[in-house]
Amino acid sequence: MTRMPRIATVFGATGFIGRQIVGALARTGAQVRVASRVPESAFFLKTCGAPGQIVPIACDGGPESVGQAIEGAEWIVNAIGILFEKKHATFDRIHAELPGMIAQECARKGVMRMVHLSALGVDRSQSRYAQTKLAGENAIRAVFPAATILRPGVVFGPDDNFFNQFAAMARVAPALPLIGGGKTRFQPVFVGDVAQAVCNALIWPPVPPHDPRGKIYELGGPDVLTFRDILNRIAIWTGRRRPLVSVPWGFARFQAAILEHLPTPPLTRDQVELLRTDNIVTQGALTLADLGVNPTAMDCIVPAYLERYRDGGPFGAQDAA
Ligand SMILES: NC(=O)c1ccc[n+]([C@@H]2O[C@H](COP(=O)([O-])OP(=O)(O)OC[C@H]3O[C@@H](n4cnc5c(N)ncnc54)[C@H](OP(=O)(O)O)[C@@H]3O)[C@@H](O)[C@H]2O)c1
Protein backbone atom coordinates (compact mmCIF):
# COMPACT_ATOMS: atom_id res chain seq x y z
CA MET A 1 0.00 0.00 0.00
CA THR A 2 1.47 3.42 -0.91
CA ARG A 3 1.59 5.97 1.88
CA MET A 4 0.02 9.37 1.24
CA PRO A 5 2.71 12.09 1.17
CA ARG A 6 3.26 13.89 4.43
CA ILE A 7 1.77 17.37 4.62
CA ALA A 8 3.93 20.23 5.88
CA THR A 9 2.61 23.75 6.50
CA VAL A 10 5.06 26.63 6.35
CA PHE A 11 4.20 30.06 7.76
CA GLY A 12 6.44 32.84 6.43
CA ALA A 13 7.30 30.71 3.38
CA THR A 14 7.55 33.64 0.98
CA GLY A 15 10.45 35.14 2.96
CA PHE A 16 14.17 34.81 2.36
CA ILE A 17 14.57 31.73 4.58
CA GLY A 18 11.03 30.39 4.13
CA ARG A 19 11.53 29.88 0.38
CA GLN A 20 14.56 27.69 0.96
CA ILE A 21 12.64 25.71 3.58
CA VAL A 22 9.85 25.06 1.05
CA GLY A 23 12.42 23.75 -1.47
CA ALA A 24 14.11 21.52 1.12
CA LEU A 25 10.77 20.11 2.31
CA ALA A 26 9.65 19.48 -1.27
CA ARG A 27 12.80 17.40 -1.80
CA THR A 28 11.67 15.08 1.04
CA GLY A 29 8.56 14.30 -1.02
CA ALA A 30 6.18 16.10 1.36
CA GLN A 31 3.26 18.13 0.13
CA VAL A 32 3.97 21.69 1.22
CA ARG A 33 1.22 24.10 2.18
CA VAL A 34 2.36 27.68 1.98
CA ALA A 35 0.26 29.78 4.37
CA SER A 36 0.41 33.41 3.32
CA ARG A 37 -1.55 36.62 3.78
CA VAL A 38 -1.49 36.98 0.00
CA PRO A 39 -1.39 33.47 -1.51
CA GLU A 40 -0.79 34.90 -5.00
CA SER A 41 2.55 36.19 -3.71
CA ALA A 42 3.52 32.55 -3.07
CA PHE A 43 2.78 31.26 -6.59
CA PHE A 44 6.47 31.56 -7.47
CA LEU A 45 7.16 28.78 -4.95
CA LYS A 46 5.22 26.24 -7.04
CA THR A 47 8.32 25.66 -9.14
CA CYS A 48 10.12 24.34 -6.02
CA GLY A 49 8.24 21.05 -6.36
CA ALA A 50 6.39 18.73 -8.72
CA PRO A 51 3.04 19.92 -10.15
CA GLY A 52 0.56 20.16 -7.27
CA GLN A 53 3.18 19.56 -4.56
CA ILE A 54 3.37 23.17 -3.34
CA VAL A 55 -0.03 24.54 -2.36
CA PRO A 56 -0.39 28.26 -1.53
CA ILE A 57 -3.30 28.93 0.82
CA ALA A 58 -4.67 32.13 2.37
CA CYS A 59 -4.00 32.72 6.06
CA ASP A 60 -4.94 36.00 7.74
CA GLY A 61 -3.16 35.15 11.00
CA GLY A 62 -6.38 34.62 12.99
CA PRO A 63 -6.88 31.39 15.00
CA GLU A 64 -9.49 30.01 12.59
CA SER A 65 -7.37 30.50 9.50
CA VAL A 66 -4.21 29.27 11.26
CA GLY A 67 -6.18 26.17 12.37
CA GLN A 68 -7.30 25.53 8.79
CA ALA A 69 -3.72 25.87 7.52
CA ILE A 70 -2.59 23.29 10.08
CA GLU A 71 -5.48 20.81 9.69
CA GLY A 72 -4.15 17.40 8.61
CA ALA A 73 -0.50 18.50 8.54
CA GLU A 74 2.18 16.48 10.35
CA TRP A 75 4.93 19.09 10.17
CA ILE A 76 4.64 22.80 10.91
CA VAL A 77 7.30 25.45 10.38
CA ASN A 78 7.03 29.05 11.52
CA ALA A 79 9.40 31.41 9.68
CA ILE A 80 7.43 34.61 10.20
CA GLY A 81 9.37 37.58 11.50
CA ILE A 82 9.81 41.33 11.10
CA LEU A 83 12.79 43.66 11.50
CA PHE A 84 10.80 46.79 12.30
CA GLU A 85 7.28 47.48 13.53
CA LYS A 86 4.29 48.75 11.59
CA LYS A 87 0.92 49.92 12.86
CA HIS A 88 -0.76 46.48 12.72
CA ALA A 89 2.40 44.40 12.87
CA THR A 90 4.08 45.04 16.19
CA PHE A 91 6.93 42.92 17.57
CA ASP A 92 4.59 41.71 20.33
CA ARG A 93 2.00 40.54 17.82
CA ILE A 94 4.29 38.96 15.20
CA HIS A 95 7.09 37.57 17.37
CA ALA A 96 5.23 36.58 20.53
CA GLU A 97 1.43 36.28 20.17
CA LEU A 98 1.33 34.76 16.67
CA PRO A 99 3.86 31.96 17.33
CA GLY A 100 2.07 31.18 20.61
CA MET A 101 -1.21 30.90 18.76
CA ILE A 102 0.27 28.72 15.99
CA ALA A 103 1.69 26.42 18.67
CA GLN A 104 -1.68 26.34 20.45
CA GLU A 105 -3.36 25.24 17.21
CA CYS A 106 -0.61 22.63 16.68
CA ALA A 107 -1.38 21.21 20.13
CA ARG A 108 -5.13 21.21 19.46
CA LYS A 109 -4.79 19.49 16.09
CA GLY A 110 -2.32 16.84 17.27
CA VAL A 111 0.55 17.95 15.04
CA MET A 112 3.63 15.70 15.28
CA ARG A 113 6.47 18.20 14.85
CA MET A 114 6.80 21.97 14.94
CA VAL A 115 9.95 23.95 14.13
CA HIS A 116 10.12 27.65 14.99
CA LEU A 117 12.71 30.11 13.73
CA SER A 118 13.88 32.40 16.49
CA ALA A 119 17.20 34.28 16.38
CA LEU A 120 20.68 34.01 17.87
CA GLY A 121 21.21 36.14 20.96
CA VAL A 122 17.55 36.59 21.91
CA ASP A 123 18.45 35.61 25.47
CA ARG A 124 21.16 38.30 25.70
CA SER A 125 20.05 41.40 23.80
CA GLN A 126 17.95 44.20 25.31
CA SER A 127 16.37 45.05 21.93
CA ARG A 128 12.60 44.72 21.50
CA TYR A 129 13.23 42.45 18.50
CA ALA A 130 15.13 40.00 20.70
CA GLN A 131 12.94 40.29 23.77
CA THR A 132 9.77 39.58 21.80
CA LYS A 133 11.45 36.69 19.97
CA LEU A 134 12.31 35.22 23.37
CA ALA A 135 8.73 35.78 24.53
CA GLY A 136 7.61 33.90 21.39
CA GLU A 137 9.85 30.94 22.23
CA ASN A 138 8.40 30.83 25.74
CA ALA A 139 4.82 31.12 24.47
CA ILE A 140 5.42 28.14 22.15
CA ARG A 141 7.09 25.98 24.77
CA ALA A 142 4.25 26.64 27.24
CA VAL A 143 1.65 25.03 24.96
CA PHE A 144 3.71 22.75 22.66
CA PRO A 145 6.80 21.66 24.62
CA ALA A 146 7.93 19.30 21.82
CA ALA A 147 8.55 22.21 19.44
CA THR A 148 12.10 22.54 18.14
CA ILE A 149 13.49 26.07 18.25
CA LEU A 150 16.24 27.16 15.89
CA ARG A 151 18.16 30.38 16.54
CA PRO A 152 20.11 31.37 13.42
CA GLY A 153 22.75 34.09 13.41
CA VAL A 154 22.86 36.55 10.52
CA VAL A 155 21.83 34.49 7.51
CA PHE A 156 23.60 34.80 4.16
CA GLY A 157 22.44 33.73 0.71
CA PRO A 158 21.78 35.31 -2.69
CA ASP A 159 18.67 37.27 -1.56
CA ASP A 160 19.91 38.20 1.92
CA ASN A 161 19.25 41.52 3.53
CA PHE A 162 22.62 41.99 5.21
CA PHE A 163 25.49 41.46 2.75
CA ASN A 164 23.44 42.81 -0.15
CA GLN A 165 22.52 45.95 1.80
CA PHE A 166 26.12 46.86 2.59
CA ALA A 167 27.36 45.91 -0.88
CA ALA A 168 24.66 48.14 -2.40
CA MET A 169 25.64 50.93 -0.01
CA ALA A 170 29.30 50.62 -1.06
CA ARG A 171 28.21 51.21 -4.65
CA VAL A 172 26.92 54.73 -3.90
CA ALA A 173 28.30 55.89 -0.53
CA PRO A 174 31.74 57.50 -0.20
CA ALA A 175 32.25 55.73 3.18
CA LEU A 176 30.65 52.92 5.18
CA PRO A 177 29.48 53.25 8.81
CA LEU A 178 31.15 51.22 11.51
CA ILE A 179 28.37 51.34 14.07
CA GLY A 180 29.76 51.34 17.61
CA GLY A 181 33.28 51.04 16.17
CA GLY A 182 32.47 47.80 14.31
CA LYS A 183 33.57 45.52 17.17
CA THR A 184 30.39 43.44 17.47
CA ARG A 185 31.05 39.83 16.48
CA PHE A 186 28.89 37.80 14.09
CA GLN A 187 28.76 34.18 12.99
CA PRO A 188 26.92 34.24 9.66
CA VAL A 189 25.14 31.06 8.61
CA PHE A 190 24.19 29.89 5.09
CA VAL A 191 20.47 29.94 4.28
CA GLY A 192 20.69 26.47 2.70
CA ASP A 193 22.10 25.10 5.97
CA VAL A 194 19.27 26.68 7.97
CA ALA A 195 16.70 25.11 5.61
CA GLN A 196 18.38 21.70 5.90
CA ALA A 197 18.44 22.04 9.69
CA VAL A 198 14.68 22.71 9.67
CA CYS A 199 14.11 19.60 7.53
CA ASN A 200 16.29 17.39 9.69
CA ALA A 201 14.55 18.61 12.85
CA LEU A 202 11.25 17.55 11.28
CA ILE A 203 12.24 14.22 9.77
CA TRP A 204 14.74 12.82 12.25
CA PRO A 205 13.35 9.92 14.23
CA PRO A 206 12.82 10.81 17.91
CA VAL A 207 15.70 8.64 19.13
CA PRO A 208 17.83 9.90 22.05
CA PRO A 209 20.33 11.52 22.22
CA HIS A 210 19.45 13.05 18.83
CA ASP A 211 15.74 13.63 19.47
CA PRO A 212 15.24 17.25 18.30
CA ARG A 213 11.88 17.60 20.05
CA GLY A 214 11.82 20.22 22.80
CA LYS A 215 15.36 21.39 22.06
CA ILE A 216 16.90 24.76 21.19
CA TYR A 217 19.68 24.89 18.57
CA GLU A 218 21.95 27.86 17.87
CA LEU A 219 22.87 28.02 14.20
CA GLY A 220 26.11 29.70 13.17
CA GLY A 221 28.54 29.19 10.31
CA PRO A 222 32.26 28.34 10.55
CA ASP A 223 33.41 32.00 10.46
CA VAL A 224 33.30 34.41 13.44
CA LEU A 225 33.94 37.98 12.31
CA THR A 226 33.55 41.50 13.63
CA PHE A 227 31.33 43.98 11.83
CA ARG A 228 34.54 45.65 10.62
CA ASP A 229 35.84 42.32 9.21
CA ILE A 230 32.57 41.81 7.35
CA LEU A 231 32.70 45.26 5.72
CA ASN A 232 36.32 44.62 4.73
CA ARG A 233 35.38 41.31 3.14
CA ILE A 234 32.50 42.95 1.26
CA ALA A 235 34.98 45.53 -0.05
CA ILE A 236 37.22 42.75 -1.38
CA TRP A 237 34.34 40.75 -2.90
CA THR A 238 32.81 43.77 -4.65
CA GLY A 239 36.08 45.49 -5.53
CA ARG A 240 34.75 48.63 -3.86
CA ARG A 241 37.06 49.72 -1.09
CA ARG A 242 35.51 52.51 0.98
CA PRO A 243 36.81 54.25 4.10
CA LEU A 244 35.18 52.83 7.23
CA VAL A 245 33.96 55.60 9.50
CA SER A 246 33.39 54.83 13.17
CA VAL A 247 29.92 55.93 14.29
CA PRO A 248 29.52 56.12 18.11
CA TRP A 249 26.46 54.36 19.55
CA GLY A 250 24.79 57.64 20.53
CA PHE A 251 25.13 59.12 17.06
CA ALA A 252 23.93 55.87 15.46
CA ARG A 253 20.82 56.06 17.65
CA PHE A 254 20.27 59.67 16.60
CA GLN A 255 20.56 58.75 12.89
CA ALA A 256 18.26 55.75 13.38
CA ALA A 257 15.65 57.95 15.10
CA ILE A 258 15.38 59.89 11.83
CA LEU A 259 15.71 56.93 9.45
CA GLU A 260 13.04 54.90 11.22
CA HIS A 261 10.37 57.27 9.89
CA LEU A 262 10.99 55.97 6.34
CA PRO A 263 8.44 53.39 5.08
CA THR A 264 11.19 50.73 4.91
CA PRO A 265 13.79 51.99 7.40
CA PRO A 266 17.41 50.96 6.65
CA LEU A 267 18.16 51.33 10.38
CA THR A 268 16.08 51.68 13.54
CA ARG A 269 17.03 52.42 17.14
CA ASP A 270 16.04 48.87 18.01
CA GLN A 271 18.48 47.52 15.41
CA VAL A 272 21.22 49.72 16.87
CA GLU A 273 20.45 48.12 20.24
CA LEU A 274 20.60 44.68 18.59
CA LEU A 275 24.05 45.48 17.20
CA ARG A 276 25.38 46.11 20.72
CA THR A 277 25.48 42.41 21.58
CA ASP A 278 27.78 39.81 20.01
CA ASN A 279 25.77 37.53 17.73
CA ILE A 280 27.65 34.24 18.07
CA VAL A 281 26.84 30.71 19.15
CA THR A 282 27.03 30.14 22.91
CA GLN A 283 29.61 27.65 24.15
CA GLY A 284 27.94 24.33 24.91
CA ALA A 285 24.82 25.06 22.85
CA LEU A 286 23.36 22.50 20.44
CA THR A 287 24.36 23.53 16.91
CA LEU A 288 24.01 22.73 13.22
CA ALA A 289 26.31 19.74 13.70
CA ASP A 290 23.83 18.26 16.21
CA LEU A 291 21.26 18.43 13.42
CA GLY A 292 23.56 16.64 10.97
CA VAL A 293 24.47 19.77 8.98
CA ASN A 294 28.05 20.66 8.09
CA PRO A 295 28.19 24.49 8.08
CA THR A 296 29.08 26.16 4.78
CA ALA A 297 31.78 28.86 4.76
CA MET A 298 30.93 32.38 3.55
CA ASP A 299 33.82 32.26 1.08
CA CYS A 300 32.11 29.45 -0.83
CA ILE A 301 28.87 31.36 -1.37
CA VAL A 302 28.98 35.12 -0.83
CA PRO A 303 31.57 36.23 -3.43
CA ALA A 304 29.49 34.71 -6.26
CA TYR A 305 26.35 36.71 -5.50
CA LEU A 306 28.15 39.93 -4.57
CA GLU A 307 29.83 39.97 -7.97
CA ARG A 308 26.87 41.91 -9.32
CA TYR A 309 27.96 44.93 -7.23
CA ARG A 310 31.35 45.15 -8.96
CA ASP A 311 32.06 47.92 -11.36
CA GLY A 312 30.89 46.37 -14.64
CA GLY A 313 28.88 43.67 -12.83
CA PRO A 314 29.97 40.03 -13.17
CA PHE A 315 32.09 40.95 -16.21
CA GLY A 316 33.98 43.49 -14.08
CA ALA A 317 35.26 40.55 -12.05
CA GLN A 318 36.98 39.18 -15.14
CA ASP A 319 38.61 42.55 -15.80
CA ALA A 320 39.82 42.66 -12.22
CA ALA A 321 41.24 39.14 -12.40
N1 LIG B 1 17.37 36.74 7.78
C1 LIG B 1 18.15 36.64 8.84
O1 LIG B 1 19.35 36.99 8.79
C2 LIG B 1 17.62 36.07 10.14
C3 LIG B 1 18.50 35.91 11.22
C4 LIG B 1 18.02 35.36 12.40
C5 LIG B 1 16.69 35.01 12.52
N2 LIG B 1 15.84 35.20 11.46
C6 LIG B 1 14.43 34.82 11.65
O2 LIG B 1 14.07 33.88 10.64
C7 LIG B 1 12.72 34.10 10.25
C8 LIG B 1 12.64 34.30 8.75
O3 LIG B 1 13.43 35.42 8.40
P1 LIG B 1 13.50 35.99 6.89
O4 LIG B 1 14.77 36.70 6.76
O5 LIG B 1 13.16 34.88 5.94
O6 LIG B 1 12.31 37.05 6.93
P2 LIG B 1 11.58 37.76 5.67
O7 LIG B 1 12.28 37.51 4.40
O8 LIG B 1 11.34 39.16 6.07
O9 LIG B 1 10.18 36.98 5.60
C9 LIG B 1 9.29 37.07 6.66
C10 LIG B 1 8.00 36.32 6.35
O10 LIG B 1 7.13 36.70 7.41
C11 LIG B 1 5.82 36.93 6.89
N3 LIG B 1 5.29 38.14 7.50
C12 LIG B 1 5.87 39.37 7.57
N4 LIG B 1 5.04 40.24 8.19
C13 LIG B 1 3.94 39.53 8.52
C14 LIG B 1 2.72 39.86 9.17
N5 LIG B 1 2.46 41.11 9.57
N6 LIG B 1 1.81 38.89 9.34
C15 LIG B 1 2.04 37.63 8.91
N7 LIG B 1 3.16 37.26 8.28
C16 LIG B 1 4.09 38.19 8.09
C17 LIG B 1 5.92 37.11 5.38
O11 LIG B 1 4.95 36.20 4.85
P3 LIG B 1 3.71 36.63 3.87
O12 LIG B 1 3.98 38.03 3.41
O13 LIG B 1 3.73 35.62 2.78
O14 LIG B 1 2.49 36.48 4.70
C18 LIG B 1 7.35 36.69 5.03
O15 LIG B 1 7.31 35.53 4.24
C19 LIG B 1 12.21 35.28 11.06
O16 LIG B 1 11.55 34.82 12.19
C20 LIG B 1 13.49 36.01 11.47
O17 LIG B 1 13.34 36.72 12.67
C21 LIG B 1 16.28 35.72 10.28
Side-chain angles (χ1 to χ4, degrees):
M1 197 175 73
T2 49
R3 191 188 190 283
M4 291 289 284
R6 284 201 161 88
I7 298 175
T9 298
V10 184
F11 296 91
T14 56
F16 162 53
I17 303 174
R19 305 174 208 160
Q20 300 290 330
I21 294 172
V22 170
L25 285 171
R27 289 191 286 278
T28 70
Q31 185 174 74
V32 188
R33 271 187 209 152
V34 169
S36 172
R37 294 169 292 173
V38 187
E40 295 78 13
S41 71
F43 283 179
F44 73 98
L45 290 169
K46 284 172 170 257
T47 54
C48 292
Q53 192 184 2
I54 313 292
V55 185
I57 57 165
C59 179
D60 64 11
E64 199 178 323
S65 116
V66 166
Q68 282 166 1
I70 286 172
E71 186 74 54
E74 285 180 40
W75 296 339
I76 307 298
V77 180
N78 178 34
I80 292 177
I82 52 174
L83 273 174
F84 53 87
E85 298 188 289
K86 291 187 190 157
K87 195 171 171 203
H88 298 294
T90 60
F91 283 141
D92 280 326
R93 160 85 189 125
I94 302 298
H95 288 169
E97 286 169 27
L98 186 56
M101 191 252 283
I102 292 172
Q104 180 87 57
E105 290 302 315
C106 286
R108 278 185 354 107
K109 305 270 183 200
V111 162
M112 287 173 64
R113 299 275 182 106
M114 175 182 180
V115 173
H116 170 72
L117 282 189
S118 182
L120 198 54
V122 292
D123 48 346
R124 301 188 288 269
S125 170
Q126 295 303 309
S127 71
R128 292 278 304 141
Y129 171 90
Q131 288 182 339
T132 52
K133 281 291 228 185
L134 187 61
E137 289 185 4
N138 293 334
I140 290 171
R141 286 156 72 86
V143 292
F144 195 88
T148 303
I149 291 175
L150 306 186
R151 294 176 173 170
V154 168
V155 183
F156 63 87
D159 317 322
D160 70 43
N161 201 18
F162 191 82
F163 289 88
N164 280 295
Q165 186 180 348
F166 288 104
M169 207 187 272
R171 203 156 50 176
V172 292
L176 292 180
L178 272 181
I179 296 172
K183 296 189 191 103
T184 311
R185 289 184 298 159
F186 294 90
Q187 195 169 351
V189 58
F190 177 45
V191 66
D193 293 342
V194 176
Q196 194 55 53
V198 169
C199 264
N200 291 357
L202 291 168
I203 64 183
W204 270 12
V207 179
H210 296 299
D211 182 355
R213 293 174 306 169
K215 300 211 174 109
I216 297 178
Y217 295 82
E218 298 197 354
L219 311 185
D223 305 295
V224 175
L225 312 96
T226 63
F227 189 49
R228 177 189 286 274
D229 295 333
I230 291 179
L231 292 189
N232 280 330
R233 292 242 195 147
I234 291 174
I236 293 166
W237 290 328
T238 59
R240 294 178 186 274
R241 289 188 181 276
R242 298 284 181 267
L244 303 179
V245 179
S246 190
V247 180
W249 293 112
F251 191 61
R253 268 183 66 78
F254 170 72
Q255 282 183 316
I258 298 167
L259 291 171
E260 67 191 23
H261 293 293
L262 294 171
T264 306
L267 188 69
T268 64
R269 277 172 289 181
D270 198 62
Q271 288 164 4
V272 172
E273 183 58 44
L274 201 54
L275 283 171
R276 277 179 175 273
T277 317
D278 281 341
N279 197 250
I280 55 176
V281 171
T282 320
Q283 228 179 356
L286 293 170
T287 64
L288 275 176
D290 296 291
L291 282 169
V293 180
N294 193 14
T296 309
M298 284 165 49
D299 281 346
C300 302
I301 304 286
V302 187
Y305 68 84
L306 289 193
E307 242 183 27
R308 59 184 176 230
Y309 296 96
R310 278 184 177 275
D311 200 9
F315 304 107
Q318 289 164 18
D319 292 347

